[in-house]
Amino acid sequence: MRIATAVIGLLALAALAGCNSPTYGGGGGGGGGGGGLAGEIVVGNILFKSSHNGSQNPAIDTIAVGSTVTWTWTATGSVPHSARSQGSPSFPSSVVETGDGRTYSFTFTTPGTYSYDCAVHGSAMRGTIVVR
């Protein structure tokens, strides 16, 4: 019985891992454990977190070509942060911002894997946007 339960659990996990349906548009998004739209990134206190899937440091999101990613400063207090593009391909980096509610958005029009970090905290805060 335990083996059958384990096999069913592994099959369910494999099926979920294969799901990759990009979300189009913007707005909304939850911050807790995921469930928000792809491309909604929480900039927290020394973390980037995907509102879509809950991944953090690195926050990893897969979006469709032409989709917009928005980084939103949440519960950062007086600690400054940015979204700084790393490597190639690249996107325009944000300025360093301090304060909750700040946002930075960019529309990705070229497929590729885009890496980013925080200009203040470097590799302690990092993420990846996969554009297909």
Side-chain angles (χ1 to χ4, degrees), residues 16-22 62 132:
L16 287 174
C19 291
N20 187 17
S21 56
T62 300
R132 293 187 180 165

Side-chain angles (χ1 to χ4, degrees), residues 6 12 26 47 49-50 63 66 75 77-78 85 100 104 115-116 118 120 128:
L47 68 83
K49 182 175 183 176
S50 167
I63 62 170
S78 62
S85 185
D100 294 346
Y104 174 69
S115 297
Y116 63 93
C118 173
V120 177
T128 302

